Amino acid sequence: MERDIISLISLLSADNPDNNPLTTLDDSRQILVKMAVEKFDEYVSKRDEKNIVYLLKIFFLLGETNEGIRRFSIYLCSYISNKCELLITTNKSSSQSSEFVSANLITEILEFVADTLKNNSMHVETYCGPGNIFGLVSSVHCVVDRYVKCVVERFYAYHHLDELCSMLKKSNSNSLSSKRHDSSAQSINRDKILDSSELGSDRVLVIEPIIVETLQIITCSELYLRFIQRRISADIKQSNLTEDDFKKKSNEISKFFESSQLVCQVQDLLSKYLNLEQYYLRVTIMKALSSDEVDKSSNVWCFIDDVFFITKKSLIRSLSSGNVDTICAMVNHSCSILIDLMVNDFLGNIIRTGFPSGWVQDAYNYVQNSVAVAGSLSSSSSIVNVPTVSSFNMIGPNALARYHFLVTLNSIEASQKNLLSLVNHLESELNLLYQNQEINS
């Protein structure tokens, strides 16, 4: 049948070349394409979404799939741009001092874009077939890059984040280099830690909200990127490409995301977050170590619980970033801080001096006093029965040092328990994070 039609067309063309049916059909198609373009522009100006989607199907039937997707993408970009402009204008009029303004704005933008893509990509899949989602997403993503960059730059400028991170990075580097310089000598003592001019507790109070907001921006950006990557990946797998074509398409997609401004912004935010978090952890732990209070119920230094609480909070925050390099960097930094500041420079320094000795009479009085108060202390609360400070007043000049030595022994045991609890909690959080990523992948 097809051969008969082709033969008939060939005969007609031979009789009268001016009436070539193929030429006539192509001319008619071009006229229809022109009409479709004009109608599409008309419906876009009227915001007639129903007919815009209908014309997308017409472009496919006319063999102009790429042109249809291109025009449909332009329409979506315009629609998204108008919404983003409205959101940014509304937020500019609101107070910048409100909590997490930039993070909330970026979340609104990305959620709106994700919903728009989700609702409209199905039209492309239905009318144009598989393998065309990347063209749609790549066009829309360029708009996302532009507006997210605008908001992030406002966030940087408001908090002077570039200058702040540069200063904190230098502070962190100086702290690390000073520790390396002192590594050959005896560990610095507690007084040297507490006399540090870098405690800056007021500065830390300002930094913590910036850390939280930075992480919120990173998290919502990563969620959006994973969403569009899943949509593109699922569409490509359904397009039945050859192995070579599939590799080429995958490389094209990878290069697109590598050059994406949003991806670059996320990497820059992760770098800044790391500087902020490392400084926060170091300074707050140094501040906690400035306390010389003893928990009378368990006879341990009060800062033990504070230090592990701060460490746990910082590490849990790093897990929420979802970035392996950032998590590993914070774990290593936490270990370094705990070993250098708490163990070597304080607990270890007291233990290395040994149990303070005195005259024989002082030792005899100390033993007698210890036996007298041993019954009033709970043996289960600590590894050593430590008398109260007031009971040492009559023992001699080394009484307080002896008391601190025994408290430090108890604190080491408490640190071991806290460390084990921290490790178990981090393992459970990592397992939960892995399971969530498996579900979303």
Side-chain angles (χ1 to χ4, degrees), residues 163-175:
E163 298 87 343
L164 177 62
C165 288
S166 177
M167 180 178 63
L168 298 187
K169 185 177 181 180
K170 184 178 180 180
S171 174
N172 291 332
S173 300
N174 289 340
S175 174

Side-chain angles (χ1 to χ4, degrees), residues 221-239:
S221 299
E222 290 282 7
L223 286 172
Y224 167 77
L225 288 169
R226 283 200 292 269
F227 165 74
I228 61 175
Q229 286 171 344
R230 286 198 308 270
R231 298 288 293 185
I232 293 171
S233 178
D235 181 62
I236 293 298
K237 289 178 181 178
Q238 294 177 359
S239 58

